[in-house]
Amino acid sequence: MDFDADFLSEYYKAVDILTRERLDRLKKRQKVDSTSNRAGERLVSYKVVCHYCQEEFSAKSNGAKSCGDRCKKRLSLEKKEARRWFEKNQERIQDFNETVNKL
């Protein structure tokens, strides 16, 4: 079966969006600063790269994925669109995977 360039580019884009989070877990996050507040609680900040805009930012949480609410919302919408695309093109994706496995 012949797959057009549009299908392949959309397929790889959707795969990239949905696997970006798993691949980021493998990267080591860098601790930037460690301070204490008045109550003696230790505060740590991490240097993290935003999943959406790819800019580096300082986060209070080790699990932060986006630099702000705007990027967080856009990232969420991007993932939803990728999942919808996979659901809509399930048969073509199966054909593509079978073709690749035969090689």
Side-chain angles (χ1 to χ4, degrees):
M1 183 174 233
D2 190 29
F3 299 99
D4 58 346
D6 291 336
F7 170 77
L8 293 175
S9 67
E10 287 293 322
Y11 176 76
Y12 291 126
K13 179 181 172 187
V15 168
D16 178 53
I17 290 168
L18 295 175
T19 59
R20 190 180 301 154
E21 183 177 322
R22 279 186 269 150
L23 294 176
D24 186 58
R25 287 185 203 147
L26 302 175
K27 296 178 184 175
K28 187 175 181 182
R29 294 170 179 245
Q30 297 176 345
K31 279 187 185 178
V32 177
D33 191 19
S34 180
T35 58
S36 297
N37 62 5
R38 290 184 198 175
E41 182 181 355
R42 191 167 156 235
L43 302 174
V44 179
S45 60
Y46 298 89
K47 192 183 336 177
V48 184
V49 176
C50 178
H51 283 266
Y52 187 78
C53 65
Q54 305 301 319
E55 290 188 25
E56 196 173 272
F57 68 100
S58 180
K60 294 179 183 175
S61 164
N62 190 20
K65 297 177 185 98
S66 59
C67 58
D69 291 337
R70 190 176 195 181
C71 284
K72 185 177 183 178
K73 183 69 176 173
R74 288 178 177 175
L75 188 63
S76 174
L77 292 174
E78 202 174 63
K79 285 182 182 181
K80 284 180 186 177
E81 287 177 15
R83 286 187 189 111
R84 279 190 216 129
W85 186 87
F86 264 101
E87 290 172 6
K88 193 170 84 174
N89 295 299
Q90 204 167 21
E91 289 180 18
R92 290 189 73 195
I93 292 169
Q94 284 179 340
D95 292 341
F96 176 73
N97 289 335
E98 289 173 5
T99 304
V100 170
N101 288 336
K102 288 179 184 177
L103 297 177

